[in-house]
Amino acid sequence: MIKVEAIVREDRLEDVKEALREIDVRGITVSQVMGCGTQLGYTHMVRGNKVAMNMLPKAKFEIVVSDEEWAEKTVDAIVKAAYTGEPGDGKVFWYEIDHAVRIRTGERDKEAITPAPDAKPDEI
């Protein structure tokens, strides 16, 4: 199992969600976060004073997939959907997950991250 974490521009949230939906990735967690990367934000004028905006709003996606093939598809979809070509587009990280448990059923590991057999489409 592999966990994919992506930090992207807030305005690319819907594009990334749609890209993930198109490749049938399920089990997505999205958080609103603040941060800065190598660009260290930007400055702008407020009432005649320069103000540094170094903590910018971002969207953080967290997704666990079953194998390396799904991880590659997921990362490629995120990168394509989040790309603007400007500083601040974000980063994607992925790493191995050793274990998972679906609390409701007790299923473990890969079975815990696949859609439950009794799940309705609107629950997936």
Side-chain angles (χ1 to χ4, degrees), residues 49-94:
N49 296 316
K50 271 191 178 180
V51 176
M53 301 298 293
N54 59 359
M55 296 302 285
L56 304 175
K58 302 285 183 177
K60 180 180 181 181
F61 286 81
E62 297 177 83
I63 305 149
V64 177
V65 295
S66 58
D67 58 37
E68 188 71 32
E69 182 180 341
W70 272 107
E72 289 293 333
K73 286 182 187 178
T74 302
V75 169
D76 290 346
I78 292 168
V79 169
K80 184 177 178 184
Y83 177 82
T84 68
E86 298 293 323
D89 275 353
K91 297 262 188 317
V92 181
F93 309 94
W94 65 96

Side-chain angles (χ1 to χ4, degrees), residues 9-122:
R9 293 172 180 267
E10 213 174 32
D11 63 347
R12 304 305 289 179
L13 173 85
E14 292 300 322
D15 296 315
V16 173
K17 281 176 30 185
E18 182 59 31
L20 293 170
R21 189 176 302 118
E22 285 175 8
I23 64 167
D24 205 28
V25 169
R26 302 174 182 182
I28 301 166
T29 300
V30 179
S31 306
Q32 291 178 311
V33 297
M34 302 284 285
C36 68
T38 56
Q39 86 276 11
L40 299 175
Y42 61 92
T43 60
H44 72 277
M45 299 297 284
V46 175
R47 297 184 182 147
N49 296 316
K50 271 191 178 180
V51 176
M53 301 298 293
N54 59 359
M55 296 302 285
L56 304 175
K58 302 285 183 177
K60 180 180 181 181
F61 286 81
E62 297 177 83
I63 305 149
V64 177
V65 295
S66 58
D67 58 37
E68 188 71 32
E69 182 180 341
W70 272 107
E72 289 293 333
K73 286 182 187 178
T74 302
V75 169
D76 290 346
I78 292 168
V79 169
K80 184 177 178 184
Y83 177 82
T84 68
E86 298 293 323
D89 275 353
K91 297 262 188 317
V92 181
F93 309 94
W94 65 96
Y95 47 90
E96 291 287 330
I97 296 292
D98 292 327
H99 301 286
V101 176
R102 186 187 318 258
I103 295 171
R104 180 175 62 90
T105 63
E107 293 168 297
R108 292 183 173 269
D109 303 327
K110 287 186 180 182
E111 289 77 28
I113 63 167
T114 59
D118 61 343
K120 297 178 183 93
D122 62 332

